[in-house]
Amino acid sequence: YKRQGRGCPFMCDFCTSRVLYGGTMRYKTNEQIIAELEQLHNLGYRGIFILDDNLAGEHTRAREIVMAIRDWNNSKKEPVMFSTNASVDIATQSDLGQLFSEALITNVFVGIETPSSDSLAGAGKYQNLKSDVMGDVEALHGVGIDVAAGIMVGFDDDDLSIFRRQADFLQKLSTPVIFAGMMLAPEGTKLKERLMGEGRIIEIEGCGDHTRETNVIPKQMTQGQLKQGYFGMMNELYDEFNFLDRVRGALERYPDPSPLSRRYKPREARKVFKLISVMYQLLFYYITGGRRLLTMFIHYLGVMVKHRKHVFTVIYWLIAYKHFREMLKGHGVFKKVRLEDEAYESRSSAVYDK
């Protein structure tokens, strides 16, 4: 993990980035960035997460940094693959998305949040209203960037239809990995200040895992309905064959790997016994997980063969799917809560109102 800079110019009312680090972007010098990368490379790291809240917060400076990283990475016999956080507008800022790809910054968490323009406007996330998010994600896939979609439910404009709308939207978006959570109002944010004034905050000690709890009392549903709808949506998104369809959709957009990405090998792949161990664990998990999971896995192997040029990305998605499936099991809701629009108002939500 490393940081290139701090700050975020956007004013999303639920986000702590601006509260903690301010709205002015401050970046390290290119020389300092490259010196730190050189140290990490010498220590054997070939996968690095750039911790910036928004690496592309200031587009001109971001271009300079990404080009410096690209040139440094191209000089290496064993290049590094980077992950980071960025706003979706990297797709519309001239060549910025392409530069990310050329630098091998190819795993990018993007706060998509919601298909509801009213919710985006209400939260102050205007940057997502300036273009077609569906088209932006397709464009990023088209230059080889794996978009991890950040999603939330529980905005003030969300009614009981949002869970079905989100699931359908995300399926069309074709992002295999989806980080979804219930709306949370962190300390110091404008959202928490407003909801405190409206009497819509429940103080929960240690509340920070928005895949399990929320401190927000929703406006158009009960908290129990929010939890039920969220878990139902997650079960639908991480249904075996819905996940497989998103993988296929993303890969159909992907270009051939660049010369730099073809040289990349994760650390596990450079150690034979480690690679065997990882593959054995995956095989055991998918083969022994039941008929439906096994059937999906058999189809997935076909996808892997067809798109073998992207084999490391495809394996990463398989590992990520296992993570989210186990997360839902850990919450005790895997395949126990379903996305049924008509059932939300009539079904008891007492089990979720603890």
Side-chain angles (χ1 to χ4, degrees), residues 117-177:
S117 56
D118 289 338
S119 293
L120 291 170
K125 190 143 191 168
Y126 299 109
Q127 64 272 27
N128 282 27
L129 293 170
K130 293 179 180 179
S131 60
D132 170 25
V133 171
M134 193 80 69
D136 291 343
V137 170
E138 185 172 349
L140 293 173
H141 283 164
V143 295
I145 292 178
D146 173 21
V147 177
I151 296 295
M152 286 196 296
V153 288
F155 289 92
D156 280 0
D157 286 288
D158 287 353
D159 58 21
L160 294 173
S161 70
I162 189 60
F163 309 109
R164 167 53 59 196
R165 289 165 57 203
Q166 280 276 28
D168 291 346
F169 168 73
L170 291 165
Q171 208 55 33
K172 291 177 183 176
L173 203 64
S174 289
T175 56
V177 176

Side-chain angles (χ1 to χ4, degrees), residues 54-320:
N54 185 359
L55 180 58
E58 205 285 300
H59 296 138
T60 300
R61 183 70 186 103
R63 276 192 184 85
E64 295 171 354
I65 290 171
V66 172
M67 286 190 288
I69 293 173
R70 176 198 62 189
D71 295 344
W72 172 84
N73 222 2
N74 270 300
S75 73
K76 297 300 177 185
K77 182 179 179 181
E78 295 181 359
V80 172
M81 182 171 284
F82 295 93
S83 302
T84 194
N85 308 300
S87 46
V88 73
D89 60 354
I90 63 171
T92 57
Q93 292 298 316
S94 183
D95 58 348
L96 194 51
Q98 180 64 45
L99 286 173
F100 267 58
S101 180
E102 291 174 5
L104 221 54
I105 308 173
T106 49
N107 185 281
V108 181
F109 176 90
V110 176
I112 304 294
E113 315 308 356
T114 176
S116 168
S117 56
D118 289 338
S119 293
L120 291 170
K125 190 143 191 168
Y126 299 109
Q127 64 272 27
N128 282 27
L129 293 170
K130 293 179 180 179
S131 60
D132 170 25
V133 171
M134 193 80 69
D136 291 343
V137 170
E138 185 172 349
L140 293 173
H141 283 164
V143 295
I145 292 178
D146 173 21
V147 177
I151 296 295
M152 286 196 296
V153 288
F155 289 92
D156 280 0
D157 286 288
D158 287 353
D159 58 21
L160 294 173
S161 70
I162 189 60
F163 309 109
R164 167 53 59 196
R165 289 165 57 203
Q166 280 276 28
D168 291 346
F169 168 73
L170 291 165
Q171 208 55 33
K172 291 177 183 176
L173 203 64
S174 289
T175 56
V177 176
I178 298 165
F179 291 89
M182 293 173 279
M183 176 59 73
L184 197 68
E187 196 65 43
T189 60
K190 291 183 178 180
L191 177 64
K192 184 164 187 182
E193 181 182 354
R194 176 172 65 82
L195 295 184
M196 286 284 287
E198 297 174 8
R200 293 172 50 207
I201 288 290
I202 299 175
E203 295 294 354
I204 302 174
E205 186 176 353
C207 182
D209 180 3
H210 66 167
T211 70
R212 185 189 295 270
E213 291 289 349
T214 174
N215 61 349
V216 172
I217 299 174
K219 193 170 186 177
Q220 300 195 52
M221 64 187 85
T222 68
Q223 197 177 63
Q225 287 171 325
L226 172 60
K227 292 179 183 180
Q228 177 178 294
Y230 165 72
F231 289 131
M233 179 188 74
M234 286 294 285
N235 273 320
E236 175 138 332
L237 290 171
Y238 285 101
D239 169 81
E240 293 85 348
F241 291 97
N242 286 341
F243 167 72
L244 180 62
D245 284 345
R246 294 200 303 277
V247 167
R248 285 172 169 155
L251 287 170
E252 289 302 324
R253 300 168 176 171
Y254 268 44
D256 286 340
S258 67
L260 181 62
S261 64
R262 284 197 293 268
R263 297 208 320 266
Y264 167 74
K265 284 186 180 180
R267 186 159 52 176
E268 292 81 2
R270 293 183 287 114
K271 296 181 179 180
V272 176
F273 291 110
K274 181 65 174 177
L275 179 62
I276 291 172
S277 173
V278 170
M279 296 310 296
Y280 172 79
Q281 290 177 55
L282 282 176
L283 285 169
F284 183 82
Y285 182 82
Y286 282 94
I287 289 173
T288 62
R291 180 178 297 179
R292 187 174 176 83
L293 186 63
L294 176 58
T295 302
M296 184 276 279
F297 182 62
I298 291 170
H299 286 285
Y300 200 94
L301 291 176
V303 172
M304 193 180 298
V305 171
K306 179 180 178 181
H307 297 279
R308 52 191 173 275
K309 292 179 181 179
H310 301 288
V311 63
F312 293 129
T313 298
V314 178
I315 292 174
Y316 161 69
W317 288 336
L318 205 59
I319 294 170

